[in-house]
Amino acid sequence: MQQKHLILAALPALACGFSSCSKAPRQPNILFIMTDDHSAQAISAYGSRLIKTPNLDRLADEGMRFDNCYVTNSISGPSRACILTGKFSHVNGFTDNSQTFDGNQVTYPKLLQRSGYQTALIGKWHLNSDPQGFDFWSILPGQGDYYRPEFVENGVKKVEQGYVTDIITQKTISFLERRDKSKPFSVLCYHKAPHRSWMPAQRHLNAFEHTIFPEPENLLDNYKNRGEAARRQMMEIAKHMWLTYDLKIATGEELDKAHNYVALHKTDVNKADVLAANRQGDELMRLKAVYDRMSDEEKKNWNARYEKRWEEFKSKKRTPEELVKFKYQCYMQDYLSTILAVDESVGEILRYLEKTGELDNTIVVYTSDQGFFLGEHGWFDKRFMYEESQRMPLLVRYPAKVKAGTTSSALSMNVDFAPTLLDLAGLAVPQEMQGASLKPVLENNGKAPKDWRKAVYYHYYEYPSWHMVMRHYGLRTDRYKLIHFYNDADYWELYDLQTDPHEMHNLYGQAQYAEVQKDLHKELENLQQQYKDTDPDEKQHEFFKGVEQLR
């Protein structure tokens, strides 16, 4: 009798051995959310004094925040290529935005798709070629528009009504609803925001209208103690931020008449006046092009908001210093307003995954394609190897591997993302990928293995081009940064980030840093050998052509 009971008790276990009970744990889903130009200074989980981002903070609270994640080439297209391939720009072939991405090379979405993942890409692509490795894709052509944007969906063009961040969110959720539930998913949700020209959603037009934002202490930087690249750039809020296109200082009446603006001034005798009029006319036409994508009701709300700014601007004469401060406040109002919609998007998608029971089996990654200057050094845009541009936000939520509320100071790069996602999905990482998997960091409460890298590598190519930032390469350790500007210049910069976190004083050539400088040069040579960038000064990059819309 006892033997009979033992046999009967074993039957369920035997049955499981030949049925679904024996299935291996399902591979994790992957949700990779990326914004364009979202600086870590604008995320409250990173200590921002500018904005509250509760949904992004949730990712940090329930996952891991990386404090030392860096882009390898701080500009949109090249960063996206590095993320897809796990390879540096000089290896994947996409060094600047004039290139066409070679989609035939190995990318992590292709490998996930081949292993059984259902893959999708939704939002800003910006690689000048059609995506490969996706079961579904719906992308913005070029930079895309904030209002009534056009998408190319699996090769078919279509214009969508509404605001771009909301549309990308709904397209992402729609794909998740209709997907094949028998397969794990890998979704790339790529937002346009907060890219220039920082156009807020209608509901956020007045979000920061009366806010006075704290200014960075080097907003009025005079670029002393640094080389010519810092002085010769064209990305200063004071000189290069456009009043009309960037800051929307124009009335609805001006915009309605914008198509006649340049012609009205062509008969002016004074050449300087003609040039100024043409410049202002060009700005108006740029703004009109995006303004005209709005409905009449949206235009009415837009005019009610920005005509107040126009009146404030016209109400008084300002000194050059006062004008910079005024423009900075306008810049922050608009830039941060676009982030409010992004944060709402993250919350909406997380709630959907939670409702469907998929959240805890989904690796959720949030990042930006690079950092961005929010008035530091008096700048907007990116490109430089200086900290605000080079540093990327990186938040990872995945309860199976990542302890909630952890942080990591491990030096990481965007070329690490592809090997990390493949590794977490249980797939082999191709040898050609140059990044390192962050899985051991994620599994060890943010602590890096003993043999982890001691420095990250950087190389920027796009010159001459928008904002005129000279070509340069270099490395960053946990304390120091060494930069070489080349081709159109030939000089070095060295910063001690412990004593000079804002990178205001170039220490290169100073006697007390001689040993540090020597060690950094050696480490730089080692990294260039390791990453096969063995002739970084080669004059191989032609004048940048085919500039589309403002980057």
Side-chain angles (χ1 to χ4, degrees):
M1 182 66 71
Q2 186 177 7
Q3 186 177 8
K4 181 179 179 181
H5 283 307
L6 289 171
I7 292 172
L8 289 173
L11 286 176
L14 289 171
C16 279
F18 297 102
S19 71
S20 61
C21 299
S22 66
K23 285 183 179 178
R26 213 182 92 198
Q27 286 175 294
N29 303 312
I30 299 170
L31 172 64
F32 190 95
I33 305 173
M34 184 164 70
T35 40
D36 194 311
D37 295 343
H38 191 182
S39 177
Q41 306 97 279
I43 299 175
S44 43
Y46 280 94
S48 176
R49 301 183 302 157
L50 302 170
I51 191 172
K52 296 294 184 184
T53 51
N55 295 295
L56 292 175
D57 294 356
R58 177 185 176 183
L59 292 178
D61 293 341
E62 298 177 4
M64 185 177 294
R65 185 192 76 211
F66 284 78
D67 290 340
N68 289 312
C69 183
Y70 294 95
V71 68
T72 52
N73 183 358
S74 186
I75 190 165
S76 181
S79 176
R80 292 161 192 269
C82 291
I83 288 169
L84 285 169
T85 64
K87 299 182 291 191
F88 285 84
S89 299
H90 63 280
V91 177
N92 67 47
F94 201 93
T95 55
D96 62 49
N97 279 331
S98 70
Q99 308 290 315
T100 298
F101 179 67
D102 178 9
N104 294 321
Q105 61 189 305
V106 173
T107 64
Y108 83 85
K110 281 185 182 180
L111 297 177
L112 291 171
Q113 186 185 50
R114 291 171 191 168
S115 75
Y117 274 79
Q118 192 172 19
T119 58
L121 164 67
I122 299 159
K124 185 170 180 178
W125 173 240
H126 204 217
L127 287 172
N128 305 326
S129 61
D130 286 346
Q132 295 184 32
F134 299 97
D135 298 301
F136 172 78
W137 51 273
S138 184
I139 62 171
L140 298 165
Q143 297 288 359
D145 287 294
Y146 275 105
Y147 281 87
R148 199 167 55 86
E150 181 180 79
F151 283 80
V152 181
E153 197 160 290
N154 282 22
V156 179
K157 292 182 179 180
K158 56 193 304 186
V159 174
E160 303 283 8
Q161 300 298 320
Y163 185 68
V164 67
T165 304
D166 301 340
I167 296 167
I168 291 169
T169 304
Q170 291 309 312
K171 283 178 176 283
T172 299
I173 292 175
S174 177
F175 172 80
L176 293 172
E177 286 177 336
R178 68 177 186 272
R179 70 186 175 85
D180 182 348
K181 303 297 194 297
S182 69
K183 296 181 178 181
F185 65 77
S186 174
V187 176
L188 278 60
C189 176
Y190 278 9
H191 285 292
K192 171 184 173 63
H195 191 276
R196 193 180 188 184
S197 63
W198 318 298
M199 296 180 71
Q202 292 281 300
R203 63 188 179 276
H204 298 137
L205 284 173
N206 301 298
F208 297 110
E209 182 180 1
H210 302 295
T211 304
I212 303 299
F213 296 99
E215 298 170 358
E217 61 183 68
N218 55 0
L219 175 64
L220 302 176
D221 195 348
N222 59 15
Y223 314 116
K224 289 182 179 179
N225 304 313
R226 275 148 295 165
E228 60 182 307
R231 296 189 297 272
R232 286 176 52 186
Q233 45 61 41
M234 295 179 67
M235 48 194 277
E236 293 174 42
I237 294 173
K239 299 177 182 177
H240 309 116
M241 181 172 279
W242 294 2
L243 284 169
T244 307
Y245 180 70
D246 290 328
L247 302 183
K248 298 91 175 168
I249 296 176
T251 65
E253 184 180 2
E254 281 183 301
L255 288 167
D256 289 338
K257 294 179 178 178
H259 63 286
N260 293 322
Y261 197 94
V262 178
L264 288 173
H265 289 78
K266 281 187 176 178
T267 57
D268 288 359
V269 176
N270 188 303
K271 184 177 181 181
D273 289 342
V274 173
L275 293 174
N278 283 333
R279 164 64 183 273
Q280 189 172 1
D282 180 53
E283 287 193 46
L284 276 169
M285 290 303 296
R286 286 182 181 274
L287 180 56
K288 180 179 172 61
V290 292
Y291 173 82
D292 282 347
R293 303 191 74 85
M294 300 182 199
S295 68
D296 289 343
E297 183 63 25
E298 288 171 333
K299 286 181 179 179
K300 180 179 177 181
N301 297 331
W302 182 272
N303 292 339
R305 168 67 183 97
Y306 287 104
E307 287 185 5
K308 292 180 190 174
R309 182 178 289 178
W310 181 90
E311 290 169 0
E312 184 182 0
F313 174 70
K314 298 289 186 181
S315 67
K316 60 176 288 189
K317 290 187 176 180
R318 293 174 173 83
T319 65
E321 181 176 311
E322 289 172 338
L323 182 57
V324 172
K325 291 172 178 286
F326 173 79
K327 292 171 75 173
Y328 167 76
Q329 294 296 328
C330 296
Y331 169 34
M332 287 300 93
Q333 288 173 8
D334 294 345
Y335 176 92
L336 296 169
S337 292
T338 68
I339 291 171
L340 293 176
V342 169
D343 188 69
E344 291 171 352
S345 169
V346 171
E348 189 172 351
I349 298 173
L350 291 181
R351 286 189 293 273
Y352 173 82
L353 292 175
E354 204 164 23
K355 181 181 71 175
T356 57
E358 294 285 3
L359 181 58
D360 284 352
N361 190 48
T362 301
I363 302 163
V364 181
V365 177
Y366 182 87
T367 190
S368 174
D369 52 358
Q370 64 263 321
F372 210 67
F373 291 105
L374 303 185
E376 299 88 1
H377 301 287
W379 293 336
F380 64 103
D381 209 68
K382 56 264 185 179
R383 301 167 195 266
F384 274 108
M385 195 182 159
Y386 301 138
E387 200 72 0
E388 294 83 7
S389 165
Q390 186 188 10
R391 185 184 183 213
M392 309 167 69
L394 177 61
L395 305 171
V396 182
R397 185 193 189 277
Y398 182 39
K401 299 289 184 182
V402 181
K403 184 179 177 181
T406 50
T407 60
S408 177
S409 60
L411 290 166
S412 49
M413 297 183 283
N414 61 345
V415 290
D416 297 336
F417 298 171
T420 300
L421 294 173
L422 293 172
D423 199 6
L424 288 171
L427 303 180
V429 178
Q431 286 189 338
E432 68 188 72
M433 288 190 174
Q434 297 175 294
S437 171
L438 296 169
K439 182 180 176 182
V441 178
L442 292 165
E443 293 179 332
N444 194 31
N445 297 333
K447 296 179 181 177
K450 290 183 179 179
D451 60 350
W452 194 251
R453 64 170 66 98
K454 305 302 180 186
V456 294
Y457 184 62
Y458 183 88
H459 195 157
Y460 173 81
Y461 302 85
E462 193 175 287
Y463 179 88
S465 179
W466 285 104
H467 302 300
M468 300 299 285
V469 175
M470 293 180 175
R471 302 177 192 127
H472 58 288
Y473 57 82
L475 64 76
R476 187 206 193 278
T477 69
D478 61 349
R479 178 171 176 175
Y480 297 103
K481 188 174 292 187
L482 180 67
I483 308 172
H484 182 220
F485 291 89
Y486 71 96
N487 265 20
D488 306 279
D490 183 14
Y491 69 93
W492 295 81
E493 293 183 354
L494 169 64
Y495 296 99
D496 184 341
L497 299 170
Q498 183 173 296
T499 61
D500 181 24
H502 302 299
E503 296 161 299
M504 300 291 287
H505 303 285
N506 179 17
L507 303 172
Y508 195 84
Q510 294 191 12
Q512 63 268 41
Y513 284 91
E515 283 301 311
V516 169
Q517 185 173 304
K518 179 181 177 181
D519 291 343
L520 291 173
H521 271 285
K522 183 176 180 180
E523 180 63 21
L524 179 61
E525 291 173 6
N526 291 339
L527 289 179
Q528 289 171 335
Q529 290 292 328
Q530 177 184 345
Y531 297 132
K532 300 181 174 61
D533 197 12
T534 52
D535 191 9
D537 300 287
E538 183 182 4
K539 296 179 183 292
Q540 60 182 344
H541 307 287
E542 297 179 359
F543 186 90
F544 181 71
K545 299 176 182 178
V547 176
E548 35 179 85
Q549 197 172 333
L550 285 172
R551 285 186 175 78

